[in-house]
Amino acid sequence: MSSVEKNCEKCKPFYLRPSPRKTSAEIISEARRSLRTICTQRPFTPRDDQRQLFGKASSRSSEGRPPSTFSLHARNFEESDSRPGSGKHLSPLEHKPRLPAPPDDDLDSSAAFPKPPADPLQIRRAGGTRARLFKSGSLAGLPPVKRPEESIKRQSSDPSSAGTSSPALSRNRNPLLTDSASTKKSQMGDLSKAVCEKTVPRRPASERYSSGTVCAGGVGTLVTVAVGAQAKTELVRGEVKDELEESVYWDTQVLPLLQELESVPQDSVERLCSTCEQLHCILGEGDLLGRKGKRRATLLRTLFQLIDVGSDQLNLQLAKVILALSVSGNNLLNICKLIFKISRSENNDALFQNNSIIDALLSVLHSEDVLSVGEAVLYCMGTLKFLSGNRSLLRMLVGKGSVTTLLQLSERLGRGAAPGDAHFPIAGHILVQLTATLRNLADLPESRPAFLSNRGLPELCVVLQQHSGDKDICTNIARIFSKLTSYNVCCTALANIPECYGLFLELLRKHQKKQDLVVRLVFTLGNLTAKNNEARERLWAEEGCLDTLLGLFLLYHQMDTAAPAPRNPGGTVEGQQPDHRPPSGVEDVLIKLIRVLANLSIHPTVGPTLASNTQCVELLLKVLERKAIDNCEELVINAAAAINNLSFYQEESSAVRAGALSIADLMLKLLLSRNMDGMLEAMRVFGNLSQSKVVRDFIVQNKVHQFVVTLLDSKNQDVCFSACGVLINLTADKGRRPVLQEEGVIQKLLDCLRDFGPGDWQLAGLVCQTLWNCSEEGVALCFSEQETHTALQLLALYTDEELVQQWNISEDIREFHRACWELEFIPVAQRLKNRIQSQVNLLEPLTTPS
């Protein structure tokens, strides 16, 4: 017999030790045979029954936090905000020449400014409203005109202005104006030019002339005028013209809409809303939004008064216009409160869908100094949090780039309010709303690129670090991570942040009894360590990692033990349906925590350490002892899977190896359950433990081998695979082969080979190894004639390369499929075929008739 055949004939344990150099197929095979990661469901996030800034589960005291309920009326708004900004200030002149000023009577006011060529802008300005222009103080610094008749006379005597009309103004006439008003404005068009010239204020003589050499005072003296004076003159001239243009636009476009808002009955909400929408458009077209308009006082006063109508639809339209006017201070706070109050009712969600108010809210978040308007930003964020609970509005928020906006806001809050600063509390309140909104946004696949491209995950880690004592913020961010890490790209991105592992462990130590936070942190750690060996190394390398995890395990096991026992703790009664209740909060923490330990144990350095940790193994066994799979299915299966991973390591120091019989007894209980997943996990554990003779004796004494053979009929590839692993180890004992043959193991193995061979070469190779062990003492002693014929036929078919290449296999797995066929199946199948064929050839002369 060749050395290769001798090596093949050696009885090998089911779970082989990893070789130094492995092919890709061997790596996958090894993972299937031994260590497995555990999947689990993401923790359930309950929906708040009421829309509040801080829900019932908030850790914040009701005292000292901003309220969610309040009343708002027009009297709460301040008209002082209606004063416009200070505008531009002129720099003082470095040189102020003293020039003799001529008498006013000697200078014609029309000579002060040369008339520029006519253009559309000038034509538009020429159509001013007479009544408005002659109001005292209507334009800053302009004296009232004493004798308008002179202007009319001067205008009529000017042939260049006779019959002139204002087409630009006529195009801008508002349809809401009455016919009489339109007629009056048409008549006044011819007068506006003279009025404009007559009402331009006189300036000092030093500023009336352009720079250069001019004749001042009519005495022939040459004087040089500073260039700064000319600049000041031009600026004043521009401001006057802009004010005059604004006055004309206000009287013809804005004022009629304000008058309509005041005259429309308050029960005509639809008409009021329509007028507000028109007003918003008109103000935008006239460049009167923001703080630039000189008539903001009148405008805001009218809008504030309409708030008392009490219509949510109208108030939302008013809020959009008021925010567009860049209100500040108390008015900004109250308008954000007003929008917040409207958004508290889900019935108003439709109002936000058909309104651009969301854009206005997002613009508030771009304030240069968000902490100076912190309370307004808080209610603005509260509104966005409520709206993000609506699926349609959620997609709208994502489409408007809200993820990027919120991440940038969190970064600015972090820079502006460090722990201990006066603004730190309000920044924390804002971050509670902000992270809750991001939590909702993370539900949509469209939001994930924004989290990844804007350094969103590192920024959230920074927020966690700064606010590690704030349970509300930590819980919201943990929810974000638990959602995002369910997807490979996001999981990899977070795993590549080295600081996150120590941060998570620190939070677990700090908030041990905060279940909704702990369960999401350990779920995230389970995701990070599921497929990433580097993540396992980084987590394990953090100081206090094992102590923290086992400390949590012990704490929640004690909490679970102290909790009331579930119904039917020992299993189901005959004929009664299992109690498929959802896991309790404590049980869910244990489920996720055991998953982290099982995933860590895959690492070749971490696994032996965990397997040798008596406390870890004992806690897992206590879970299996106390819980029944019928009412705690996921918890029991996860504990069994963790034991399976730890049982892979058979070092002398292994606590699993020391307690092999106790574990085998618990696995027997799982085998006898009616749960297929439980049976599969138990079979995997037996596959590892049956390398020990003590456990093999236990299996035969308790007739577990009969159950194992029966599972070969399950038609489940994974169950058959695990059953073959146990059978390989049992057939390693010469004395146990006849017992297995009595159970019909040969025929069942051949059925598995026929049913699963072409689709699962790993399983087929394992079946051949089991048949090899069974035929150790001779094919004739264990194979019937029919079984021998079937075996040769199947092996000849499956070892024919030309036939294998003809099988229809998808391209994505063809390479792997062939690697498994070459490495896992062919070596043992060829030798088994040769053994059977050679013994059949020896027997043929004895059976041939003479």
Side-chain angles (χ1 to χ4, degrees):
M1 183 178 296
S2 66
S3 60
V4 175
E5 290 177 331
K6 287 181 180 179
N7 188 41
C8 185
E9 287 188 2
K10 290 177 62 179
C11 186
K12 297 180 181 179
F14 176 43
Y15 293 100
L16 300 177
R17 290 291 180 268
S19 58
R21 299 178 63 185
K22 301 182 288 288
T23 65
S24 59
E26 288 172 331
I27 292 173
I28 297 174
S29 173
E30 197 172 279
R32 175 179 179 177
R33 291 185 184 187
S34 52
L35 308 176
R36 297 187 313 107
T37 58
I38 301 176
C39 297
T40 187
Q41 295 181 348
R42 181 167 57 82
F44 172 71
T45 301
R47 190 171 183 267
D48 291 335
D49 296 332
Q50 296 179 341
R51 292 184 171 185
Q52 298 177 337
L53 277 176
F54 307 98
K56 298 178 181 179
S58 174
S59 61
R60 281 166 164 71
S61 171
S62 57
E63 299 179 359
R65 70 185 188 188
S68 295
T69 56
F70 39 76
S71 59
L72 280 173
H73 303 283
R75 64 175 180 271
N76 298 116
F77 292 84
E78 302 171 353
E79 294 182 7
S80 59
D81 187 28
S82 63
R83 292 196 298 266
S86 58
K88 296 181 179 179
H89 296 274
L90 296 177
S91 301
L93 295 176
E94 297 179 358
H95 174 66
K96 298 181 179 179
R98 301 180 62 181
L99 303 177
D104 290 345
D105 295 338
D106 294 341
L107 293 176
D108 182 62
S109 62
S110 61
F113 297 115
K115 294 182 181 179
D119 58 16
L121 185 60
Q122 183 179 7
I123 294 173
R124 181 180 177 184
R125 292 171 183 161
T129 303
R130 174 186 175 122
R132 182 63 180 166
L133 289 175
F134 282 99
K135 285 183 181 179
S136 177
S138 61
L139 290 177
L142 299 184
V145 179
K146 296 180 181 179
R147 293 178 300 172
E149 294 82 2
E150 294 182 6
S151 299
I152 298 174
K153 183 177 180 180
R154 287 170 56 87
Q155 179 68 18
S156 61
S157 63
D158 186 357
S160 64
S161 62
T164 304
S165 62
S166 178
L169 179 59
S170 65
R171 285 196 301 269
N172 288 331
R173 284 175 182 160
N174 194 288
L176 297 175
L177 295 176
T178 60
D179 293 337
S180 59
S182 301
T183 304
K184 183 177 180 180
K185 287 177 174 56
S186 176
Q187 294 172 349
M188 291 167 55
D190 296 334
L191 307 178
S192 59
K193 184 175 180 180
V195 172
C196 178
E197 293 177 353
K198 200 70 178 176
T199 55
V200 172
R202 295 180 180 272
R203 289 160 289 117
S206 61
E207 295 180 15
R208 287 192 199 133
Y209 309 103
S210 60
S211 61
T213 305
V214 295
C215 181
V219 294
T221 305
L222 296 177
V223 179
T224 300
V225 181
V227 177
Q230 180 186 7
K232 182 176 180 180
T233 300
E234 296 297 333
L235 181 59
V236 171
R237 180 191 304 169
E239 288 179 351
V240 170
K241 290 183 179 180
D242 289 343
E243 290 176 2
L244 185 58
E245 181 187 22
E246 178 184 322
S247 176
V248 173
Y249 190 82
W250 174 274
D251 290 337
T252 59
Q253 302 293 331
V254 180
L255 187 59
L257 293 179
L258 295 182
Q259 293 171 346
E260 182 174 353
L261 287 175
E262 293 176 346
S263 62
V264 171
Q266 292 189 353
D267 57 352
S268 301
V269 174
E270 292 292 340
R271 185 177 173 188
L272 287 171
C273 291
S274 176
T275 305
C276 282
E277 186 67 31
Q278 293 181 56
L279 177 63
H280 189 208
C281 295
I282 289 296
L283 291 173
E285 291 174 2
D287 197 24
L288 295 178
L289 295 177
R291 303 182 66 86
K292 294 176 291 188
K294 299 296 182 182
R295 319 289 173 84
R296 277 177 92 245
T298 304
L299 179 57
L300 287 174
R301 188 182 303 113
T302 302
L303 298 176
F304 289 155
Q305 290 173 353
L306 290 174
I307 291 175
D308 285 341
V309 173
S311 166
D312 288 343
Q313 181 182 1
L314 175 60
N315 283 344
L316 209 57
Q317 290 287 351
L318 293 171
K320 182 173 67 172
V321 180
I322 292 171
L323 283 178
L325 292 171
S326 300
V327 292
S328 59
N330 192 56
N331 286 340
L332 177 61
L333 171 59
N334 284 333
I335 207 64
C336 289
K337 279 186 171 182
L338 180 64
I339 301 171
F340 173 85
K341 185 178 179 181
I342 297 171
S343 69
R344 289 197 64 193
S345 172
E346 293 185 26
N347 296 329
N348 289 333
D349 285 355
L351 299 179
F352 289 87
Q353 284 181 302
N354 304 320
N355 196 309
S356 60
I357 189 66
I358 290 179
D359 296 312
L361 292 174
L362 291 175
S363 68
V364 173
L365 304 184
H366 287 287
S367 301
E368 291 185 6
D369 186 5
V370 291
L371 292 174
S372 65
V373 290
E375 197 172 356
V377 173
L378 170 66
Y379 285 102
C380 180
M381 276 307 319
T383 299
L384 294 176
K385 179 184 71 174
F386 296 156
L387 299 182
S388 65
N390 181 296
R391 197 71 176 179
S392 299
L393 290 171
L394 184 64
R395 294 189 180 279
M396 184 185 297
L397 285 169
V398 172
K400 292 180 180 294
S402 57
V403 175
T404 301
T405 299
L406 299 188
L407 290 173
Q408 293 172 348
L409 175 60
S410 69
E411 184 178 3
R412 291 157 60 203
L413 290 172
R415 290 198 308 263
D421 290 350
H423 291 301
F424 191 71
I426 189 65
H429 294 332
I430 296 173
L431 284 170
V432 172
Q433 314 306 316
L434 187 151
T435 52
T437 308
L438 287 176
R439 175 196 68 200
N440 293 337
L441 293 169
D443 283 333
L444 292 183
E446 303 93 306
S447 70
R448 292 172 211 152
F451 278 103
L452 295 174
S453 61
N454 293 282
R455 289 185 49 82
L457 302 184
E459 173 57 31
L460 291 175
C461 287
V462 172
V463 175
L464 268 183
Q465 183 70 48
Q466 291 180 335
H467 297 267
S468 60
D470 193 319
K471 296 179 182 178
D472 295 340
I473 294 177
C474 292
T475 302
N476 284 339
I477 295 180
R479 284 173 170 167
I480 296 171
F481 285 156
S482 70
K483 291 180 179 182
L484 293 179
T485 55
S486 298
Y487 304 94
N488 290 336
V489 177
C490 298
C491 187
T492 302
L494 183 59
N496 290 333
I497 303 175
E499 297 80 9
C500 76
Y501 302 96
L503 178 59
F504 291 166
L505 291 174
E506 177 189 349
L507 293 174
L508 289 174
R509 288 189 289 264
K510 183 176 290 188
H511 306 292
Q512 286 187 0
K513 295 185 178 181
K514 178 72 172 172
Q515 287 185 22
D516 50 351
L517 172 58
V518 170
V519 72
R520 286 165 178 83
L521 287 176
V522 292
F523 175 76
T524 301
L525 287 174
N527 290 342
L528 296 179
T529 55
K531 298 179 180 179
N532 193 324
N533 217 33
E534 186 177 355
R536 298 172 191 136
E537 290 180 6
R538 286 178 172 174
L539 177 59
W540 184 254
E542 290 292 335
E543 183 178 358
C545 171
L546 183 58
D547 291 339
T548 301
L549 296 178
L550 293 183
L552 282 174
F553 200 163
L554 178 60
L555 173 64
Y556 279 86
H557 173 69
Q558 292 172 345
M559 294 169 63
D560 183 60
T561 303
R567 294 184 300 163
N568 301 328
T572 58
V573 180
E574 186 69 25
Q576 182 177 343
Q577 291 296 323
D579 178 19
H580 295 296
R581 63 176 178 83
S584 66
V586 174
E587 289 172 343
D588 205 24
V589 172
L590 290 174
I591 289 169
K592 273 59 175 178
L593 185 57
I594 291 173
R595 176 181 177 232
V596 175
L597 294 172
N599 291 349
L600 282 173
S601 66
I602 296 175
H603 194 279
T605 302
V606 180
T609 305
L610 284 176
S612 301
N613 189 289
T614 304
Q615 184 184 20
C616 178
V617 175
E618 286 181 352
L619 286 171
L620 291 171
L621 295 183
K622 286 179 180 179
V623 170
L624 292 172
E625 289 170 358
R626 188 172 183 273
K627 297 296 183 179
I629 196 170
D630 289 330
N631 47 31
C632 295
E633 179 179 0
E634 189 175 4
L635 178 56
V636 171
I637 289 176
N638 280 13
I643 288 291
N644 169 56
N645 284 2
L646 296 178
S647 65
F648 174 73
Y649 305 99
Q650 293 290 318
E651 283 79 359
E652 291 291 337
S653 60
S654 172
V656 175
R657 182 176 178 179
L661 285 179
S662 299
I663 296 173
D665 193 52
L666 291 171
M667 294 302 107
L668 178 58
K669 183 175 71 171
L670 275 182
L671 276 179
L672 298 177
S673 70
R674 289 182 284 180
N675 187 292
M676 183 58 70
D677 291 331
M679 295 179 189
L680 178 58
E681 289 301 334
M683 196 63 61
R684 286 169 173 156
V685 175
F686 273 123
N688 278 337
L689 296 181
S690 59
Q691 297 178 55
S692 167
K693 186 178 184 303
V694 177
V695 176
R696 294 199 295 270
D697 292 339
F698 174 89
I699 289 175
V700 175
Q701 290 169 5
N702 290 277
K703 301 187 183 304
V704 177
H705 65 284
Q706 296 178 353
F707 199 83
V708 174
V709 173
T710 302
L711 286 179
L712 293 174
D713 293 328
S714 67
K715 304 303 180 184
N716 182 301
Q717 290 174 250
D718 289 333
V719 172
C720 291
F721 191 92
S722 298
C724 285
V726 178
L727 291 173
I728 284 180
N729 291 337
L730 288 178
T731 53
D733 294 337
K734 180 179 178 180
R736 307 193 194 281
R737 295 168 190 162
V739 178
L740 294 172
Q741 292 170 13
E742 291 175 1
E743 302 297 329
V745 67
I746 301 298
Q747 185 58 51
K748 293 182 184 297
L749 288 170
L750 291 174
D751 291 341
C752 280
L753 184 61
R754 181 186 63 247
D755 295 338
F756 300 121
D760 192 340
W761 293 120
Q762 292 176 309
L763 174 56
L766 207 58
V767 169
C768 290
Q769 289 185 36
T770 309
L771 290 172
W772 177 273
N773 286 356
C774 290
S775 62
E776 180 71 19
E777 297 180 5
V779 174
L781 297 178
C782 60
F783 283 72
S784 68
E785 184 177 349
Q786 181 61 39
E787 290 170 346
T788 302
H789 177 74
T790 301
L792 287 175
Q793 187 179 30
L794 289 174
L795 292 172
L797 178 64
Y798 293 165
T799 55
D800 188 341
E801 184 173 0
E802 293 184 1
L803 291 176
V804 172
Q805 291 178 347
Q806 295 176 6
W807 291 337
N808 186 19
I809 303 172
S810 59
E811 290 293 334
D812 55 337
I813 64 170
R814 182 179 295 277
E815 183 178 351
F816 170 73
H817 194 268
R818 182 169 184 84
C820 290
W821 180 76
E822 293 177 348
L823 299 172
E824 301 277 338
F825 176 72
I826 284 295
V828 64
Q830 194 66 52
R831 292 185 177 90
L832 177 62
K833 185 179 73 169
N834 294 340
R835 169 185 278 185
I836 297 175
Q837 188 64 59
S838 63
Q839 296 196 22
V840 168
N841 293 338
L842 290 174
L843 293 175
E844 282 183 353
L846 300 177
T847 57
T848 302
S850 56

